[in-house]
Amino acid sequence: MTGARKPQGDGLSEAEAIERAKQGDAEAFEVLYNLHKRRVYSLCLRMTANTAEAEDLSQEAFLQLFRKIGTFRGESAFSTWLHRMAVNVVLMRLRKKGLSVVPLEETMETDEESPKKEPGAQDPSLAGAVDRLELQRAVEALPPGYRTIFVLHDIEGFEHNEIADMVGCSIGNSKSQLHKARMKLRDSLRTSRAAKAEKP
Amino acid sequence: MTCAEFQQVLPEMLEGDRNTEHAAHLASCSACSDLISDLKAISEAARQLRALDEPSPRVWNSLEIELRREGLIRQPQREPALVPSRARRPWAWMVPVAAVLLVGFGIIVYQRGSDQQAEMAKNQAPVAPAVAVLPASNVSPSHRSDDDRQLLEAVGTRSPETRAQYAVDLNHVNAYIQDAEQSAQSDPNDEDAQQSLLNAYDQRAMLYQMALDRSLP
């Protein structure tokens, strides 16, 4: 719940900051922003793969949250509320730009979108270790539909039923797209590792 | 079970739906075993991307300006001080003075523009730029620079990060003022340019007000 967060800044806990922000206290808004800025910004950055847009969306998400903070009653975790709002802000922006946020149904996909390689057939295995920055680059290179599902499930920790609700697809589709996203990432990481190994 | 069959059930299996047939295939197939291991490693590494990146300070600055503009951040109700605090905030007098100067400046620019428009209509003769004849002391860059230095010193006592953040903001707003001044000078009858100039001064006054709030005990 909201009070679980450790005190920030001048000893203000999250719960205290929420109450003071409802009264219009500038410092309280800043405390709440500082508590959640990295998570919200990282979410926006992963979903859009664009720094300027991620900054713009982070600002918009916090602004929407702060406009509604007077209605927050603490029945749910503040962070859950905020992150759900951030996801909605991003999805709305992606839809406005005409980018695919709803993954293609399996029946509409071509064979090219499914992984072709036999497991372990060519590139070296990742051996259970994945470099964070390499993964970040590989996620950015994913098609938007796959990226959305992967970010929401594997990075943000949303369940398939929540993702289906937010994105507007079936639970089965969310599961299937997640698997394909992971397979694409694996291919991409293995290719990049093989290319590095070939360099003298 | 073949590798292809195994791959088909893989999504459900990764969700925890395992049986003895899957386990037997995994025990006998190193390729599929590697695949499972890689996919798990990707999922685990993904969690580290959750809060990896730090947004630029300008996100909070823009947000704070917007929150003030919308009235979500309200001025604190201060109890009357028993001891004048001006000694601790030697630059605090600049906020009301700057506000008065800005309003006066805006009125002069606007009136000059209106007068010149009327004059042009009457005489069809070219007019001199209004901003150029204004007293430069109100808005001169050297005055701005001195004021900014004092402000940065004041906010710097709070933290070096805050000081750096204000330095960037002041640079931006001063650049905005400079652009707006040039536009207003090049076309004194352009009301949009005059409005931009007033907005630019407004933003600068807002920065000073924010700094003043932050420096309060």
Side-chain angles (χ1 to χ4, degrees):
Chain A
M1 282 294 167
T2 57
R5 290 258 177 192
K6 62 183 177 185
Q8 297 283 314
D10 298 336
L12 213 56
S13 73
E14 184 180 71
E16 289 166 340
I18 290 168
E19 288 313 307
R20 281 176 56 175
K22 286 179 183 176
Q23 311 304 316
D25 183 315
E27 190 193 357
F29 281 112
E30 194 170 1
V31 166
L32 291 173
Y33 173 79
N34 284 330
L35 272 172
H36 299 284
K37 63 181 176 183
R38 291 178 72 96
R39 177 101 187 260
V40 168
Y41 175 68
S42 297
L43 163 72
C44 296
L45 187 58
R46 295 286 102 72
M47 297 269 276
T48 61
N50 180 303
T51 311
E53 198 153 21
E55 286 184 3
D56 192 29
L57 288 166
S58 301
Q59 186 188 330
E60 182 59 30
F62 275 105
L63 194 56
Q64 287 201 14
L65 175 95
F66 290 153
R67 281 177 185 145
K68 293 178 184 167
I69 200 161
T71 65
F72 182 73
R73 294 281 173 265
E75 290 88 357
S76 61
F78 184 76
S79 58
T80 308
W81 194 46
L82 170 61
H83 298 139
R84 182 64 81 100
M85 198 170 282
V87 170
N88 286 338
V89 167
V90 176
L91 291 176
M92 200 175 292
R93 175 71 61 89
L94 294 177
R95 285 188 186 107
K96 267 188 190 169
K97 289 177 71 178
L99 290 173
S100 162
V101 295
V102 182
L104 297 168
E105 291 292 341
E106 282 158 287
T107 50
M108 292 169 66
E109 289 175 0
T110 64
D111 287 343
E112 284 173 359
E113 284 169 303
S114 303
K116 277 181 185 171
K117 287 179 187 172
E118 272 297 302
Q122 292 174 354
D123 298 327
S125 162
L126 302 175
V130 174
D131 180 82
R132 206 170 54 178
L133 292 177
E134 276 182 15
L135 178 61
Q136 188 179 335
R137 278 193 286 272
V139 172
E140 281 173 9
L142 280 175
Y146 286 136
R147 192 166 64 219
T148 302
I149 302 293
F150 181 79
V151 169
L152 293 179
H153 189 279
D154 276 11
I155 299 182
E156 292 300 319
F158 287 104
E159 299 293 335
H160 284 296
N161 61 328
E162 296 175 297
I163 295 170
D165 185 37
M166 286 188 283
V167 170
C169 68
S170 68
I171 292 175
N173 192 15
S174 174
K175 284 183 182 176
S176 150
Q177 298 301 318
L178 174 67
H179 179 63
K180 286 171 182 165
R182 286 174 179 161
M183 293 294 280
K184 272 185 177 289
L185 288 172
R186 181 184 189 238
D187 277 350
S188 166
L189 292 166
R190 290 167 77 207
T191 307
S192 132
R193 193 164 290 189
K196 271 187 186 171
E198 276 176 16
K199 281 184 184 171
Chain B
M1 182 177 238
T2 64
C3 290
E5 288 168 338
F6 182 80
Q7 271 211 46
Q8 281 203 326
V9 296
L10 197 51
E12 287 75 28
M13 219 198 78
L14 288 169
E15 294 282 316
D17 185 13
R18 285 191 186 209
N19 63 26
T20 50
E21 202 180 0
H22 303 149
H25 180 77
L26 272 179
S28 64
C29 176
S30 62
C32 287
S33 176
D34 282 350
L35 172 63
I36 293 277
S37 163
D38 286 354
L39 295 181
K40 281 183 177 169
I42 287 170
S43 282
E44 279 163 19
R47 286 185 214 128
Q48 296 170 20
L49 302 183
R50 186 177 280 182
L52 185 65
D53 302 278
E54 176 88 19
S56 146
R58 68 174 163 263
V59 176
W60 168 249
N61 284 338
S62 308
L63 187 59
E64 187 175 8
I65 287 172
E66 191 56 35
L67 291 172
R68 285 178 188 276
R69 190 170 289 151
E70 293 188 14
L72 293 168
I73 288 180
R74 292 186 284 273
Q75 297 305 320
Q77 298 295 315
R78 292 167 202 146
E79 290 178 13
L82 295 175
V83 180
S85 57
R86 189 160 290 175
R88 269 179 298 157
R89 295 179 278 118
W91 48 273
W93 60 270
M94 286 190 292
V95 175
V97 171
V100 169
L101 289 176
L102 290 176
V103 170
F105 175 68
I107 292 168
I108 291 168
V109 169
Y110 185 79
Q111 283 181 342
R112 294 286 300 193
S114 302
D115 292 349
Q116 283 165 358
Q117 264 184 331
E119 192 76 15
M120 274 179 74
K122 209 191 285 180
N123 303 332
Q124 293 293 310
V127 293
V131 176
V133 299
L134 286 169
S137 58
N138 283 4
V139 291
S140 77
S142 65
H143 276 225
R144 276 205 293 270
S145 164
D146 289 344
D147 295 349
D148 290 356
R149 205 173 303 119
Q150 287 186 53
L151 179 136
L152 291 175
E153 278 172 18
V155 294
T157 58
R158 186 163 165 145
S159 75
E161 291 79 17
T162 308
R163 188 187 191 285
Q165 188 177 311
Y166 271 88
V168 170
D169 288 344
L170 283 168
N171 277 343
H172 285 158
V173 82
N174 287 339
Y176 180 23
I177 288 173
Q178 203 174 349
D179 289 347
E181 281 176 346
Q182 282 172 358
S183 300
Q185 279 173 350
S186 63
D187 184 359
N189 299 319
D190 183 348
E191 289 187 10
D192 288 342
Q194 289 168 8
Q195 188 57 50
S196 290
L197 187 54
L198 290 177
N199 290 344
Y201 280 121
D202 198 28
Q203 282 195 15
R204 188 173 153 81
M206 194 180 283
L207 263 182
Y208 271 72
Q209 185 62 53
M210 281 160 53
L212 175 65
D213 288 350
R214 283 175 183 209
S215 73
L216 290 171

